Amino acid sequence: MAKVLIVEDDGTIRTGIVRALTERGHVVAAAGTAMDGLKLAVAEAPDVVLLDLGLPDLDGREVLRMLRAVSAVPIIVVTARRTEGEMVRALDAGADDYVVKPYGAEQIDARIRAVLRRGAGGGAAAEQRDATIEVDGVRIDPRGRTATLDGVPLDLTPREFDLLHYLAGRPGAVVSKRELLTEVWQVPYTSADKTVDVHLSWLRRKLGETAQEPRRLHTVRRVGVKFGLAP
């Protein structure tokens, strides 16, 4: 069960998703405007926020930036804006996930579980996940959720950190996009999902490279991506 805040101006959608998530055991608060949503975010301290971009009083990306300035709460953007550019801007502004309308209650519930699952677990497996990774000048501290490149701190979003951690933990291995979406995002893979591509693009930029001139993130055409300096 999670405390979910929905910021959505469409009353029909808002009512439907409130009902669906409540039936699945979540505690749900909802707002129809950006300002009401921001007030509830402060007052209710939700576990996750579902944020529409097309709000009547303030653009959703601005709300996203305002939330990110004061909270690390996971934010799932849910919007009718389906272009890759919109997705990139939302993810760069701090969104943890991006879902295009129309969407089903099962999908949203799975996305909520995925963003909340990060860091769960214990025992030997958890100790292994928490071990510091050092490979090809990249140092990753999972406990502190920090990463450096040649000693310089990397400014990564939570999802970029998880992606880098997963890839760097498998140096030289080719990892498919299906595996990344399943293991890092923990959601089912669909061939039309651009989420992995967008995050890889932003991670490359922060590592100081491009897809055309890669140093550590290498695309293996029609297979996936691998991490590590080329031999």
Side-chain angles (χ1 to χ4, degrees):
M1 183 181 72
K3 292 176 64 177
V4 182
L5 170 60
I6 300 168
V7 187
E8 165 66 63
D9 71 319
D10 187 308
T12 301
I13 294 175
R14 188 171 64 247
T15 299
I17 197 64
V18 167
R19 182 186 304 114
L21 292 180
T22 301
E23 289 173 352
R24 286 163 174 77
H26 299 296
V27 176
V28 185
T33 67
M35 295 312 297
D36 286 345
L38 288 168
K39 291 176 183 176
L40 282 174
V42 173
E44 300 291 334
D47 298 315
V48 62
V49 176
L50 304 184
L51 176 64
D52 183 25
L53 295 182
L55 299 170
D57 54 337
L58 198 61
D59 185 79
R61 284 198 306 272
E62 186 61 29
V63 179
L64 178 55
R65 293 187 185 94
M66 294 169 74
L67 283 171
R68 269 291 159 262
V70 298
S71 174
V73 62
I75 301 172
I76 302 173
V77 165
V78 285
T79 179
R81 301 177 188 177
R82 60 180 59 246
T83 68
E84 186 168 318
E86 288 287 354
M87 180 188 295
V88 167
R89 285 188 285 273
L91 294 171
D92 194 40
D96 293 276
D97 205 349
Y98 192 101
V99 179
V100 176
K101 298 176 182 178
Y103 54 83
E106 289 295 337
Q107 179 188 171
I108 285 295
D109 193 31
R111 301 271 183 169
I112 290 171
R113 293 196 306 271
V115 298
L116 295 178
R117 198 176 293 133
R118 217 163 34 233
E127 289 181 9
Q128 184 175 0
R129 288 195 301 269
D130 288 343
T132 298
I133 296 173
E134 296 190 47
V135 56
D136 295 333
V138 174
R139 186 177 190 276
I140 302 169
D141 174 11
R143 287 183 178 272
R145 293 190 65 82
T146 60
T148 60
L149 174 61
D150 296 330
V152 179
L154 291 169
D155 182 17
L156 303 177
T157 66
R159 190 67 76 187
E160 288 167 351
F161 179 89
D162 292 338
L163 180 58
L164 178 61
H165 183 217
Y166 191 83
L167 290 171
R170 295 154 181 79
V174 179
V175 181
S176 69
K177 293 179 183 177
R178 180 187 298 273
E179 180 179 344
L180 289 174
L181 199 62
T182 301
E183 298 298 329
V184 178
W185 278 261
Q186 298 181 352
V187 296
Y189 172 83
T190 65
S191 59
D193 199 317
K194 299 292 186 182
T195 302
V196 174
D197 292 325
V198 170
H199 278 82
L200 284 171
S201 174
W202 285 108
L203 184 56
R204 279 195 176 98
R205 188 184 73 169
K206 292 182 178 181
L207 289 173
E209 58 188 74
T210 66
Q212 292 72 36
E213 297 183 357
R215 294 193 65 232
R216 292 175 176 84
L217 282 180
H218 302 272
T219 297
V220 180
R221 192 174 180 185
R222 297 179 180 173
V223 181
V225 62
K226 64 178 179 179
F227 183 89
L229 293 174

